[in-house]
């Protein structure tokens, strides 16, 4: 193959249309083995590859279709794929050749012809394609059938109504029961593509077909395996036992060598666990999912990063999967920075009482690295660890104090930021370290760290002897400071005055700051807050003290946790771009269809409480019925879209979609009744459904903390000028 590739390299030279046309005409004579014609066509294909426009040669090239050589046909068909749409008015020249090749003895020629026709969605070709495609779907050769299956999806994209009326969707249903695994995989891929369209039918499976598809896994290629596994998301278990049966057969795919197959298998298992109630089986599945995920971390950095982003989602929903494997995520010296940061977040998520000291020791090592961003995240993670694991709080605070003593500017600043949060988490416990923080006041030059230190000084002004002097120094650059720092200074000055109402320095300071905020600042949030404080102090300082010094709720790590419903939804996209961005595909891919858990008697109660409704827009107003014979399981409680006269049930029947969808549905799902599951493995007991109006992704990007105290809020009420 390498020798052939080297010989073909000579064809990649820019040529002229006239020269190619002359060579094609010369090849018509004295060319018994078609050597000259092959050479010219290779030159033309090479020029197409290089971006040269070869469309003027359309009539000359298509004449070669009559040549019996398969190699020539491949190149001519490639030419037609490139320029067929541009030359729609000349396609009648090749229509007859298409039809002849569709009936050729060679299955490769038949498949090549039908595939090329599907790539040219013009009325003339589609009309000719319809009859030929129907025959190819029932061809005796599996290669032709598997090619025809994909062509149905292309036909549906070009003309959905013609594909539906022609019965092609029903014929795809029949291919799901084909004896050849590749044909089954391609049929699943085609039905999935049709079902993912906004205007497509809804593709669902029942238990019988799901088991049939799983039987084809052993003979499928890697791509086929992924398509078949992914299609299992369209199967909604009606009984806990059904989900357990499917999961047991999917577990074997966790040992696959391909990382995409492994992630897809994990996605299906996580999905099926929502419909189980047997805790022992769920624990067994969680134990089985851990080693394959760990194995992915021995791949290259790109695959590692994909695995880490998926693991970050998985452990939020099922912490038991990797609860004992925190050491696997310790960073290596040669890991890229994006891998290190991803591992850092997972280490924090897996930290608990049993492994907190190991994690802390590792984070302390990272805090002495040379990469500034990595060190910042490591220091902040130490603070987050102290907030999450109470038993490790003392050791974490000591580690932060040791880091402050290094007097490295960015380390000190990150330490101050997280210590502010520690004060909120453990009120009255660690205030003794405030003098140490005050000694490093001059090193704070970033807005967030400076605002954090100002909050500490103002909040504990009654415990800091020289608080008024510190505040006087901090307000020196008030007019030049960022808004975040100005807001912190304004609130801290009011707190200082309330704590020390008889101090002349505090009086002068609060008057000066309020005057600046109301007269010389353009920011409306800052100005309005200044007016509000000024009026409160002028009318009733006691009320002002109750407001400003009100008891603040202690900080928890709940803000780091993603909404349960959004997490269930994102896990349906495991192994895709959505799992890397931590966003649903419909938010960044045009016309993408959303996925969500489907309610059924077997769905866990907690998952049912946070179900995310999915609506499908631009669907036809009525359901599409695709009748046809086929095996079916007895169904109970299924309400059909309209009364049908079919005597036998259909694996591929169209049920009325839910009211929010109003769409067409290919229903391959049998409905059964069963008991609801009682509990959900791996989820913390204190996690419940969030408020309906909250943004489920609001806290995801804030992976390394950043709890804001005295966050600015715009004032909507006009205040009188007290000046």
């Amino acid at each position: 193959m390498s020798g052939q590739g080297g010989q073909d390299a000579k064809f990649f030279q820019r040529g002229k249309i006239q020269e190619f046309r002359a060579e094609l005409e010369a090849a018509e004579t004295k060319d018994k083995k078609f050597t000259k014609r092959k050479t010219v066509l290779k030159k033309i294909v090479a020029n197409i590859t290089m971006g040269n426009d070869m469309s003027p040669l359309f009539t000359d090239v298509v004449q070669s279709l009559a040549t019996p050589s398969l190699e020539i046909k491949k190149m001519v068909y490639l030419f037609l794929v490139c320029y067929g749409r541009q030359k729609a008015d000349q396609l009648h020249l090749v229509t007859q050749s298409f039809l002849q090749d569709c009936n050729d003895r060679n299955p490769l020629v038949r498949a090549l012809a039908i595939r090329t026709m599907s790539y040219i969605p013009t009325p003339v070709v589609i009309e000719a394609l319809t009859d030929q495609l129907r025959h190819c779907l029932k061809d005796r050769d599996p290669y032709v059938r598997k090619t025809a299956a994909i062509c149905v999806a292309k036909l549906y994209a070009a003309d959905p109504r013609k594909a539906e009326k022609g019965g092609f969707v029903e014929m795809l249903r029949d291919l799901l029961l084909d004896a050849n695994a590749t044909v089954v995989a391609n049929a699943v891929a085609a039905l999935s593509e049709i079902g993912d369209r906004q205007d497509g039918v809804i593709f669902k499976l029942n238990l019988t077909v799901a088991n049939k598809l799983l039987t084809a896994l052993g003979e499928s290629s890697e791509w086929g395996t992924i398509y078949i596994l992914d299609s299992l998301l369209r199967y909604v278990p009606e009984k806990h036992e059904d989900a357990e049966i499917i999961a047991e057969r999917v577990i074997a795919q966790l040992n696959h060598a391909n990382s995409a197959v492994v992630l897809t298998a994990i996605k299906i298992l996580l999905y099926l666990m929502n419909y189980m109630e047997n805790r022992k089986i769920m624990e067994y599945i969680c134990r089985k999912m851990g080693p394959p995920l760990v194995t992915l971390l021995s791949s290259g950095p790109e695959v590692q990063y994909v695995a880490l982003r998926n693991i970050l989602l998985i452990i939020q929903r099922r912490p038991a999967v990797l609860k004992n494997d925190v050491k696997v995520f310790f960073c290596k010296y040669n890991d890229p920075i994006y891998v290190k940061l991803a591992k850092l977040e997972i280490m924090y998520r897996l930290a608990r009482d049993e492994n907190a000291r190991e994690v802390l020791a590792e984070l302390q090592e990272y805090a002495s690295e040379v990469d500034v961003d990595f060190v910042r995240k490591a220091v902040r993670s130490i603070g987050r660890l102290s907030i999450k694991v109470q038993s490790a709080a003392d050791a974490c605070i000591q580690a932060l104090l040791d880091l402050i003593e290094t007097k490295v500017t960015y380390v000190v600043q990150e330490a101050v930021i997280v210590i502010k949060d520690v004060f909120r988490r453990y009120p009255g416990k660690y205030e003794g370290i405030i003098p140490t923080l005050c000694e490093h006041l001059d090193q704070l030059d970033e807005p967030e760290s400076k605002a954090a230190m100002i909050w500490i000084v103002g909040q504990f002004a009654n415990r800091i002897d020289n608080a008024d002097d510190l505040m006087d120094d901090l307000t020196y650059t008030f007019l030049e400071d960022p808004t975040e720092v100005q807001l912190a200074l304004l609130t801290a000055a009011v707190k200082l005055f309330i704590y020390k109402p008889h101090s002349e320095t505090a009086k002068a300071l609060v008057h000066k700051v309020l005057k600046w905020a109301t007269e010389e600042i353009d920011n409306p949030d800052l100005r309005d807050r200044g007016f509000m404080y000024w009026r409160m102090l002028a009318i009733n300082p006691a009320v002002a003290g109750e407001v400003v010094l009100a008891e603040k709720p202690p900080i928890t790590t709940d803000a780091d946790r993603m909404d349960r419903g959004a997490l269930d939804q994102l896990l349906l996209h495991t192994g895709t771009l959505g799992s890397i961005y931590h966003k649903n595909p419909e938010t960044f891919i045009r016309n993408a269809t959303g996925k969500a858990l489907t309610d059924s008697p077997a769905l866990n109660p907690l998952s049912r409480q946070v179900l995310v409704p999915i609506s499908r827009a631009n669907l036809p107003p009525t359901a599409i019925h695709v009748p046809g014979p086929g095996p079916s399981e007895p169904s109970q409680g299924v309400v059909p879209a309209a009364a049908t006269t079919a005597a036998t049930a259909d694996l591929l029947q169209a049920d009325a979609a839910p009211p929010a969808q109003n769409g067409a549905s290919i229903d391959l799902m049998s409905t059964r009744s069963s008991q609801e599951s009682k509990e959900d493995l791996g989820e913390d007991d204190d996690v419940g459904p969030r408020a309906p109006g909250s943004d489920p992704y609001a806290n995801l990007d804030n992976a390394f903390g950043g709890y804001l105290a005295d966050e600015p809020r715009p004032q909507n009420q006009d205040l009188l000028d007290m000046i």
Side-chain angles (χ1 to χ4, degrees):
M1 292 296 293
S2 59
Q4 182 67 30
Q7 294 176 9
D8 289 345
K10 63 185 178 183
F11 298 119
F12 285 84
Q13 297 178 3
R14 293 185 180 274
K16 295 181 179 180
I17 300 295
Q18 295 83 355
E19 295 177 357
F20 291 145
R21 182 175 286 120
E23 291 183 26
L24 283 172
E25 292 175 356
E28 294 179 3
T29 59
K30 297 181 181 180
D31 192 20
K32 292 183 179 180
K33 295 184 179 180
F34 311 111
T35 306
K36 294 180 182 179
R37 193 178 298 272
K38 289 180 184 178
T39 303
V40 179
L41 289 174
K42 285 182 179 180
K43 291 180 181 179
I44 294 173
V45 171
N47 274 264
I48 294 174
T49 306
M50 292 188 293
N52 299 333
D53 183 16
M54 296 285 109
S55 59
L57 294 171
F58 189 88
T59 55
D60 303 280
V61 172
V62 297
Q63 292 176 6
S64 301
L65 263 183
T67 307
S69 170
L70 178 60
E71 187 176 0
I72 289 179
K73 284 183 180 293
K74 286 182 178 180
M75 289 188 283
V76 176
Y77 278 139
L78 179 59
F79 184 92
L80 286 171
V81 170
C82 294
Y83 298 114
R85 296 185 185 185
Q86 298 180 22
K87 299 292 184 177
D89 56 331
Q90 300 181 28
L91 286 175
H92 64 277
L93 300 174
V94 297
T95 303
Q96 192 59 36
S97 298
F98 277 141
L99 299 178
Q100 291 176 0
D101 286 350
C102 285
N103 296 296
D104 195 275
R105 291 184 177 181
N106 189 339
L108 296 178
V109 175
R110 297 199 298 273
L112 189 60
I114 202 73
R115 182 176 62 187
T116 304
M117 293 173 73
S118 67
Y119 273 104
I120 309 175
T122 59
V124 175
V125 177
I126 288 179
E127 194 63 35
L129 171 66
T130 306
D131 291 334
Q132 300 301 325
L133 183 56
R134 186 173 288 106
H135 293 301
C136 288
L137 285 168
K138 299 179 181 180
D139 196 278
R140 62 183 181 276
D141 192 281
Y143 182 81
V144 180
R145 295 199 302 274
K146 70 101 175 175
T147 304
I150 298 298
C151 292
V152 173
K154 296 185 181 297
L155 175 62
Y156 198 99
D159 192 344
R161 303 307 302 178
K162 183 178 286 293
E164 291 160 5
K165 292 179 180 178
F168 289 107
V169 180
E170 177 191 357
M171 298 178 76
L172 275 182
R173 182 285 313 260
D174 294 335
L175 290 183
L176 292 179
L177 306 176
D178 197 278
N180 187 281
T182 305
V183 176
V184 173
N186 280 27
V188 168
L191 284 170
S192 299
E193 185 172 337
I194 292 172
D196 287 339
R197 290 172 56 90
Q198 291 285 352
D199 57 349
V201 292
I202 301 173
F203 173 38
K204 295 181 181 179
L205 299 175
N206 66 9
L207 183 60
T208 301
V209 178
N211 279 316
K212 171 64 179 176
L213 295 180
L214 287 171
T215 304
L217 285 178
E219 302 175 7
S220 298
S221 64
E222 293 174 345
W223 284 107
T225 301
I226 292 171
Y227 279 124
I228 292 174
L229 287 175
D230 204 49
S231 70
L232 295 179
L233 291 177
R234 303 174 188 275
Y235 166 64
V236 182
E238 297 295 321
K239 290 184 177 180
H240 305 305
E241 294 79 7
D242 296 344
E244 293 166 5
I245 290 172
I246 298 296
E248 185 179 357
R249 300 186 65 181
V250 172
I251 285 177
Q253 300 301 319
L254 293 176
N255 298 323
H256 203 284
N258 186 284
S259 56
V261 174
V262 171
L263 285 176
T264 307
I266 288 173
K267 171 170 63 177
I268 301 305
L269 291 172
L270 291 169
Y271 165 72
L272 292 172
M273 288 172 73
N274 291 298
Y275 297 90
M276 297 181 189
E277 67 173 353
N278 190 321
R279 289 187 66 89
K280 290 184 178 179
I281 293 179
M282 296 168 73
E283 290 172 358
Y284 171 74
I285 293 174
C286 286
R287 289 198 302 270
K288 283 291 186 179
M289 286 194 291
L293 288 172
V294 172
T295 302
L296 291 178
L297 299 181
S298 61
S299 306
E302 293 81 8
V303 176
Q304 278 190 61
Y305 183 71
V306 173
L308 291 168
R309 293 296 285 176
N310 282 275
I311 288 170
L312 186 55
L313 290 176
I314 293 169
I315 61 176
Q316 289 184 67
R317 183 65 179 85
R318 304 286 177 186
V321 173
L322 292 165
K323 65 179 181 180
N324 298 320
D325 296 310
V326 67
K327 289 185 178 181
V328 175
F329 300 98
F330 287 176
C331 299
K332 300 176 182 177
Y333 75 95
N334 58 347
D335 280 339
I337 182 62
Y338 56 87
V339 171
K340 287 183 176 180
L341 294 179
K343 286 184 175 180
L344 205 59
E345 176 63 12
I346 293 173
M347 286 169 55
Y348 161 73
R349 298 261 179 203
L350 293 177
R352 49 201 177 99
D353 290 337
E354 292 80 3
N355 58 23
R357 293 196 177 278
E358 294 177 348
V359 173
L360 176 59
E362 193 71 13
L363 292 175
Q364 286 179 281
E365 290 290 330
Y366 301 157
S368 61
E369 293 281 346
V370 294
D371 190 287
V372 176
D373 290 335
F374 184 51
V375 171
R376 285 178 178 274
K377 301 302 182 185
V379 175
R380 190 164 295 200
S381 294
I382 293 175
R384 294 175 69 205
L385 181 64
S386 67
I387 293 170
K388 180 180 179 180
V389 184
Q390 185 172 357
S391 60
D394 292 342
C396 290
I397 292 299
Q398 186 57 49
L400 289 172
L401 291 176
D402 294 341
L403 291 172
I404 290 175
E405 292 302 321
T406 62
K407 298 184 179 180
V408 178
T409 304
Y410 54 85
V411 172
V412 173
Q413 295 188 119
E414 289 296 329
V416 169
I417 292 170
V418 294
I419 287 174
K420 178 203 71 173
D421 297 335
V422 172
F423 288 158
R424 289 279 303 276
R425 176 68 175 86
Y426 305 105
K429 187 173 183 181
Y430 295 110
E431 283 77 4
I433 66 174
I434 292 177
T436 304
L437 301 180
C438 294
E439 293 174 4
H440 299 83
L441 201 60
D442 296 337
Q443 293 180 274
L444 308 178
D445 54 5
E446 294 180 0
E448 189 179 1
S449 59
K450 193 172 182 180
M453 190 63 212
I454 292 168
W455 182 89
I456 293 172
V457 173
Q459 185 68 21
F460 303 103
N462 58 332
R463 303 187 185 186
I464 303 175
D465 296 334
N466 61 337
D468 44 1
D469 295 332
L470 293 175
M471 284 298 301
D472 191 46
D473 292 339
L474 290 168
T475 56
Y476 185 74
T477 58
F478 180 86
L479 297 176
E480 293 79 26
D481 284 330
T483 303
E484 181 183 358
V485 176
Q486 291 174 335
L487 286 166
L489 282 169
L490 178 59
T491 303
V494 175
K495 289 178 180 178
L496 175 66
F497 174 72
I498 293 172
Y499 277 130
K500 301 180 178 181
H502 303 296
S503 170
E504 294 299 326
T505 306
K507 290 180 182 179
L509 180 66
V510 73
H511 184 273
K512 178 174 62 175
V513 172
L514 287 172
K515 194 173 181 63
W516 279 339
T518 54
E519 293 183 357
E520 301 188 33
I521 298 297
D522 295 330
N523 186 284
D525 290 342
L526 187 61
R527 190 171 60 247
D528 288 351
R529 184 176 288 195
F531 281 129
M532 182 186 69
Y533 284 155
W534 199 313
R535 189 170 189 181
M536 288 171 62
L537 292 173
I539 296 175
N540 194 335
V543 173
E546 293 177 2
V547 172
V548 177
L549 298 178
E551 183 178 355
K552 296 175 176 56
I555 281 182
T556 65
T557 56
D558 290 341
D560 291 340
R561 210 180 268 123
M562 196 189 303
D563 176 80
R564 167 72 176 271
L567 190 57
D568 284 341
Q569 196 176 4
L570 271 179
L571 286 173
L572 298 179
H573 301 287
T574 301
T576 67
L577 275 178
S579 65
I580 298 175
Y581 294 155
H582 288 186
K583 294 181 179 179
N584 287 316
E586 60 267 25
T587 63
F588 59 88
I589 298 178
R590 188 183 296 110
N591 297 328
T593 304
K595 294 181 181 179
L597 291 178
T598 304
D599 195 9
S600 86
L603 186 63
N604 292 325
L606 287 177
S607 297
R608 184 178 291 111
Q609 291 177 21
V610 293
L611 278 179
V612 179
I614 296 293
S615 61
R616 288 164 62 95
N618 303 323
L619 292 181
T622 58
I624 299 169
H625 294 271
V626 189
S632 176
E633 295 184 352
S635 61
Q636 302 173 4
V638 177
V639 181
T644 64
T645 59
T648 57
D650 185 8
L651 280 180
L652 189 59
Q653 67 182 20
D655 285 355
Q661 298 174 346
N662 295 328
S665 170
I666 301 175
D667 189 3
L668 296 177
M669 177 184 65
S670 69
T671 307
R672 299 175 175 176
S673 62
S674 65
Q675 296 295 326
E676 296 180 0
S677 57
K678 302 295 183 184
E679 53 200 358
D680 192 11
L681 180 69
E683 187 67 35
D684 293 340
D685 294 333
D686 59 344
V687 180
R690 295 185 182 244
S694 62
D695 180 5
Y697 305 102
N699 298 310
L700 184 60
D701 292 332
N702 189 17
F704 291 90
Y707 311 100
L708 297 180
D710 300 328
E711 185 178 4
R713 294 285 187 272
Q715 305 294 330
N716 296 323
Q717 184 180 4
D718 294 331
L719 298 175
L720 297 177
D721 189 353
M722 302 297 297
I723 307 301

